[in-house]
Amino acid sequence: MLARLSQHLAARMGLHFPPERWNELQRGVAATAKEFELGSPMACADWLMASRMNRQQVEMLASNLTVGETCFFRERQSFDILQMEILPEIIRRRRGGDQRLRIWSAGCCTGEEPYSIAIILRQILPDLADWNVTILATDINPRFLHKAAEGVYGEWSFRDAPEWARDRCFHKVGKSLYQIRPEIKAMVTCNYLNLADDLYPSLLNNTNAMDAIFCRNVLMYFAPGQARKVIRGLHHALVDGGWLLVSPSDFPHVHVPSFAVVSYPGAILYQKVLQREPVAPHEETVVCSGQGIQPEAADVLTDGSGNSAEPQVIARLARAYADQGRLAEALAACERAVATDKLNPSHHYLRAMILQEQGAADEARSSLKRALYLDPRLVVVHFALGNLARAEGCGAEALRHFSNATRLLCAYEPEDLLPEAGGITAGRLATILATMKEREFAS
C-alpha cells in the first residue's frame, strides 16, 4: 500500500517518499485519515489513490507530510551573505535608476524566512520608501500560510535570531507571543503556490524577474525528476545574475549548467549565469503566428523602426523582457503593441502587469479597467484588479473582483488554459482563488 501511495504522491504532488521514509508517510496518512474521518490509514490511502486528488486532499496531505519546523534567521550564514554581499551590490547598481528589489521565499513555511529578509532590508536600506520592494512568500500548506499572514510567533522562533531583532521588530501580544510590526509585515505578500504543479515564472502569480530566491529544505521532499523541474523553473524566474539559496540537504538536486556555484564561508550559493541577450527565458527565438524573432532583432522591435511588426510579436517580446526584469524595455515594447492594436485587451493587460511591477499602481489600474472594458470576460483581469485592491488593504473591493473571477471560471473546464494566464489552467486559478478567499475573507 505504501509503495503504491508513494508513487501516487510523486506523480501528483512531486513528493518523494522512498522506503526509508515510509514511517513518516504512514504517520501523515494516519493524521489525514483522522481529519477526514475515514476510519483507518488504509481507507485513506485507497481514497487518495482512487482518483486525481482535489485541492482539499492536496492541502490536507501537505499539512501532514511537510515539516513546519523553522525559525527566524535559520541557517544564519545565508542571511549574512544576503545582507553583506548580495543586497549591497544590487542596491549599488540600481540606486538612482530602476530602484527595485524582488525576493521570493519559495516554501516559506510559517513566514519566519520572508520576515527575516524584510528585517534585513529595513536595516540596510535607509531610503526603503523610495524603492519598489517585493518579498513574495509562497507555500503549498494553507495552515502555514495562515500563520505567516498572522505574523504571531513564540519564543522558540527566535532561537537563531540576533538579540535585537525581537525587540525592534515585534511587539508582545501575550505570554511569550510576539507579533511582527505592521510596517515589516506589509513588506511580505503571502500566496498559495504548488511548486510541483504551478507555472513559474509568471506575471500572473508575480514569480518573474526575481533577484534572489530562497528555496531551502524544500527540494529534499521532491522526487529527482520533479526536483529538476522545480530547479529549471526557479532558474527561469531569476534575472540574469540572480541568486538561488538552498540548504545543504538540497545540494544534490541542483544540476543546472547555467548556474555558477559560488562558495562563501559556511555556505554555497548558485548564481544565474549572464546570458547573451536572450529574447525569451525559455527559448532562443520568439515565435508568433509562424514567425520568429532572432535575438539580434530585439532592438529593431523596440526602437522607432518596429512599427510594422505584428502587435502580437511585439507583445510577446514585451512579456519576455518583463520575465527578465527589463521593465523599461518591456514597457516600451508594450506601448508599441498598444499603439498598433488599441482594441486588443491583452496588450492593455500586459501593460498593467508591467506598470504594477514598476510600482505605478494607479496607471496599472487604468490599463486593467481598459482591458475589462474591451473584454469583461477576461478572468485574469478581474484577478489582477483583486490583487491590486488586496495590496492596498481594500478587502471588500478585492473580494468583489475575486468573486467575479470565480464566477467567470464556471464557463471553463478545469483543464482549460485561461487566456493571457501564461499557461495556468482554470482549475489552478480556481484553487488559488479558493485558498485566498478561505484564508483572508472567511468572515
Side-chain angles (χ1 to χ4, degrees):
M1 181 270 288
L2 290 175
R4 289 190 297 117
L5 181 59
S6 177
Q7 293 173 352
H8 188 72
L9 292 176
R12 177 62 183 92
M13 299 172 66
L15 297 181
H16 183 44
F17 285 92
E20 59 268 25
R21 292 183 61 199
W22 281 359
N23 285 339
E24 181 183 344
L25 175 59
Q26 191 165 19
R27 287 194 299 270
V29 173
T32 303
K34 184 176 180 180
E35 294 199 47
F36 280 111
E37 299 181 351
L38 291 172
S40 71
M42 181 72 73
C44 180
D46 289 341
W47 175 61
L48 291 171
M49 291 185 292
S51 61
R52 181 178 174 87
M53 287 185 286
N54 61 29
R55 177 181 62 87
Q56 187 182 22
Q57 292 168 317
V58 168
E59 292 181 357
M60 189 67 72
L61 273 173
S63 298
N64 292 318
L65 294 176
T66 54
V67 177
E69 175 60 28
T70 187
C71 61
F72 290 99
F73 295 90
R74 183 183 185 186
E75 297 173 7
R76 181 70 178 272
Q77 296 94 332
S78 295
F79 290 102
D80 289 343
I81 294 165
L82 181 73
Q83 179 173 350
M84 304 301 294
E85 302 287 343
I86 295 175
L87 288 177
E89 174 59 21
I90 297 173
I91 291 167
R92 183 193 64 79
R93 284 189 284 107
R94 294 186 184 164
R95 190 180 292 283
D98 183 14
Q99 295 194 163
R100 62 196 298 266
L101 288 166
R102 292 175 58 78
I103 303 175
W104 177 13
S105 172
C108 68
C109 195
T110 47
E112 287 92 334
E113 181 175 88
Y115 287 135
S116 297
I117 296 167
I119 289 169
I120 287 174
L121 274 174
R122 291 192 67 86
Q123 186 180 17
I124 69 172
L125 200 56
D127 56 340
L128 178 63
D130 298 328
W131 287 73
N132 181 10
V133 173
T134 296
I135 302 175
L136 176 66
T138 67
D139 205 280
I140 191 176
N141 189 324
R143 294 176 181 172
F144 291 170
L145 286 171
H146 181 74
K147 182 172 174 60
E150 284 187 330
V152 178
Y153 301 94
E155 295 277 3
W156 188 238
S157 289
F158 298 95
R159 61 189 181 275
D160 287 345
E163 293 182 4
W164 53 265
R166 190 183 67 189
D167 295 335
R168 294 184 196 172
C169 304
F170 295 78
H171 61 267
K172 200 165 186 178
V173 292
K175 185 178 180 181
S176 301
L177 288 178
Y178 302 84
Q179 185 165 43
I180 192 83
R181 292 193 176 276
E183 63 272 19
I184 301 175
K185 183 179 179 181
M187 296 174 64
V188 175
T189 301
C190 300
N191 282 339
Y192 174 90
L193 189 137
N194 183 343
L195 286 170
D197 263 5
D198 288 328
L199 294 177
Y200 44 92
S202 170
L203 287 168
L204 186 66
N205 56 26
N206 201 24
T207 53
N208 62 301
M210 291 293 169
D211 296 304
I213 299 175
F214 281 67
C215 188
R216 305 186 305 163
N217 300 298
V218 173
L219 297 173
M220 63 181 183
Y221 285 106
F222 290 121
Q226 186 65 59
R228 288 192 293 271
K229 179 184 174 185
V230 169
I231 285 294
R232 285 195 298 270
L234 297 178
H235 177 268
H236 289 316
L238 286 165
V239 298
D240 284 345
W243 294 87
L244 175 66
L245 295 88
V246 300
S247 292
S249 60
D250 300 314
F251 290 162
H253 301 288
V254 186
H255 296 294
V256 176
S258 44
F259 271 129
V261 180
V262 183
S263 295
Y264 288 95
I268 295 175
L269 278 66
Y270 298 87
Q271 186 174 28
K272 184 173 179 177
V273 177
L274 295 175
Q275 300 178 9
R276 55 171 189 85
E277 283 298 312
V279 175
H282 304 291
E283 53 195 355
E284 285 294 314
T285 61
V286 175
V287 179
C288 185
S289 301
Q291 300 183 17
I293 302 174
Q294 299 299 326
E296 59 270 18
D299 292 335
V300 174
L301 290 178
T302 51
D303 64 20
S305 60
N307 288 325
S308 61
E310 288 189 23
Q312 294 87 349
V313 177
I314 303 173
R316 182 77 177 273
L317 177 66
R319 189 177 293 273
Y321 278 141
D323 281 345
Q324 298 168 4
R326 297 162 63 173
L327 297 185
E329 294 156 293
L331 186 59
C334 196
E335 298 282 15
R336 202 168 304 285
V338 170
T340 51
D341 191 6
K342 294 182 176 65
L343 300 182
N344 189 325
S346 65
H347 300 336
H348 294 278
Y349 167 72
L350 178 57
R351 180 176 183 270
M353 294 296 95
I354 296 168
L355 286 167
Q356 187 174 353
E357 281 201 29
Q358 289 183 318
D362 290 340
E363 289 184 72
R365 185 178 291 101
S366 295
S367 281
L368 288 171
K369 289 181 177 179
R370 178 63 176 168
L372 208 58
Y373 173 78
L374 293 169
D375 187 353
R377 300 166 300 171
L378 267 179
V379 178
V380 293
V381 178
H382 292 279
F383 182 68
L385 282 166
N387 279 329
L388 265 179
R390 174 185 175 223
E392 294 172 350
C394 302
E397 181 184 349
L399 181 58
R400 176 168 56 84
H401 290 302
F402 289 149
S403 297
N404 287 338
T406 301
R407 174 176 51 80
L408 289 168
L409 284 171
C410 295
Y412 295 88
E413 295 297 324
E415 65 276 10
D416 289 346
L417 294 176
L418 291 172
E420 307 308 318
I424 292 179
T425 65
R428 287 305 303 140
L429 187 56
T431 295
I432 294 168
L433 282 164
T435 302
M436 290 172 62
K437 289 166 74 174
E438 286 173 8
R439 191 179 74 239
E440 301 182 33
F441 306 105
S443 58

